[in-house]
């Protein structure tokens, strides 16, 4: 009986690569693996955006118009809808000069109750240190 | 018509058009909010979720499940009762 913590660390730019989309899909899908595990076993995901990866969290993405693909904004909102822990690196947000208003911080429009958190990189490091598995995208 | 499908559901979850893993994870979230004895009705057109993952989830957690496949509409109505 054990809970395995997985940290999905997104450091890639949002489009022209599948990396961040894969991170989001895997983090969301990790919520279903309990049906294949022994009683009491489960997976606890944390999703963190660092470096260039914080640009995945910008609001008002127009991916369908620009690239003809579904928006990562919706995937991030789905993560919040499913109560995943979503962390955005404060130092990198500041480096890009992005205000909190420009970031996807909640999914209230689709019924989500959990909010994303802008945290210092040291907090993300703590999450990584306490994770059983680190996956970089 | 089964026992659960003939009752008025406590909540209805429409996941039509959603593919795996969303039907299951949204169902899990909805079941968590159900009161004891409550019935969740799910409208689902994803075969893998309707025929595999959601039934497996119910079996693992001891939830009563009734599945009604509506051939003409192309989706399933799943009824889950929380103990």
């Amino acid at each position: 009986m054990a809970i395995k913590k997985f940290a999905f660390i997104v450091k890639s730019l949002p489009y022209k690569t599948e990396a961040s989309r894969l991170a989001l899909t895997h983090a969301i899908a990790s919520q279903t693996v309990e049906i294949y595990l022994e009683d009491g076993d489960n997976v606890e995901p944390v999703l963190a955006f660092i470096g260039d990866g914080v640009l995945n969290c910008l609001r008002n993405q127009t991916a369908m118009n620009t690239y003809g693909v579904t928006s990562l904004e919706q995937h991030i909102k789905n993560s919040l809808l499913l109560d995943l822990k979503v962390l955005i690196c404060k130092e990198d947000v500041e480096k890009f000069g992005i205000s909190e208003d420009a970031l996807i911080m909640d999914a209230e429009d689709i019924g989500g109750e959990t909010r994303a958190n802008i945290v210092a990189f040291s907090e993300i490091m703590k999450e990584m240190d306490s994770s059983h598995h680190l996956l970089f995208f | 018509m089964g026992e659960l499908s003939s009752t008025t559901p406590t909540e209805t979850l429409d996941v039509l058009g959603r593919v795996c893993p969303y039907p299951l994870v949204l169902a899990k979230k909805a079941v968590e909010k159900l009161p004891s004895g409550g019935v969740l009705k799910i409208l689902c057109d994803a075969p893998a979720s309707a025929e595999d993952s959601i039934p497996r989830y119910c079996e693992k957690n001891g939830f009563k499940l009734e599945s009604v496949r509506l051939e003409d509409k192309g989706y399933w109505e799943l009824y889950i009762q929380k103990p």
Side-chain angles (χ1 to χ4, degrees):
Chain A
M1 181 189 283
I3 305 294
K4 295 288 185 186
K5 186 171 176 180
F6 282 61
F8 297 85
I9 311 298
V10 182
K11 54 189 181 64
S12 302
L13 289 163
Y15 297 104
K16 296 187 177 178
T17 165
E18 282 293 293
S20 45
R21 188 182 301 274
L22 281 173
L24 287 158
T25 306
H26 283 77
I28 290 168
S30 73
Q31 295 298 280
T32 67
V33 298
E34 69 175 73
I35 61 174
Y36 301 105
L37 302 175
E38 298 293 325
D39 285 347
D41 288 350
N42 211 338
V43 171
E44 178 191 339
V46 57
L47 189 56
F49 295 89
I50 62 171
D52 291 348
V54 300
L55 297 174
N56 287 275
C57 303
L58 286 172
R59 291 174 59 195
N60 303 319
Q61 295 179 25
T62 56
M64 187 55 76
N65 296 338
T66 308
Y67 299 117
V69 296
T70 55
S71 165
L72 292 177
E73 181 169 0
Q74 197 57 44
H75 287 280
I76 293 174
K77 285 184 175 179
N78 284 334
S79 302
L80 294 169
L81 174 66
L82 301 173
D83 300 324
L84 266 62
K85 182 185 276 189
V86 177
L87 306 176
I88 307 169
C89 180
K90 181 174 181 287
E91 289 88 340
D92 292 319
V93 166
E94 289 173 353
K95 181 184 76 180
F96 283 110
I98 302 168
S99 68
E100 183 173 328
D101 290 350
L103 294 169
I104 305 159
M105 296 302 296
D106 63 63
E108 286 178 4
D109 56 327
I110 57 170
E113 297 164 338
T114 298
R115 287 181 59 82
N117 291 295
I118 299 172
V119 297
F121 184 68
S122 57
E123 292 299 313
I124 293 174
M125 277 299 294
K126 284 181 192 169
E127 292 288 347
M128 289 197 277
D129 286 343
S130 63
S131 294
H132 296 89
H133 299 282
L134 294 175
L135 298 99
F136 289 90
F137 294 87
Chain B
M1 186 172 276
E3 182 190 340
L4 294 184
S5 54
S6 61
T7 61
T8 303
T10 312
E11 293 290 341
T12 298
L13 175 67
D14 182 347
V15 289
L16 295 174
R18 294 261 199 177
V19 295
C20 185
Y22 286 106
L24 174 58
V25 288
L26 292 172
K28 277 176 57 182
K29 190 175 165 74
V31 168
E32 283 169 11
K33 291 181 176 176
L34 271 186
S36 180
V39 174
L40 175 68
K41 176 182 178 180
I42 306 171
L43 309 179
C44 178
D45 58 0
S49 301
E51 294 189 319
D52 181 39
S53 64
I54 292 176
R56 196 185 287 257
Y57 164 70
C58 291
E59 184 183 352
K60 188 172 172 65
N61 289 281
F63 299 157
K64 197 170 179 180
L65 170 73
E66 275 181 30
S67 176
V68 180
R69 185 174 184 176
L70 305 174
E71 297 272 3
D72 55 329
K73 294 180 180 173
Y75 64 80
W76 286 259
E77 288 181 350
L78 302 167
Y79 297 84
I80 299 174
Q81 186 171 42
K82 192 172 179 178

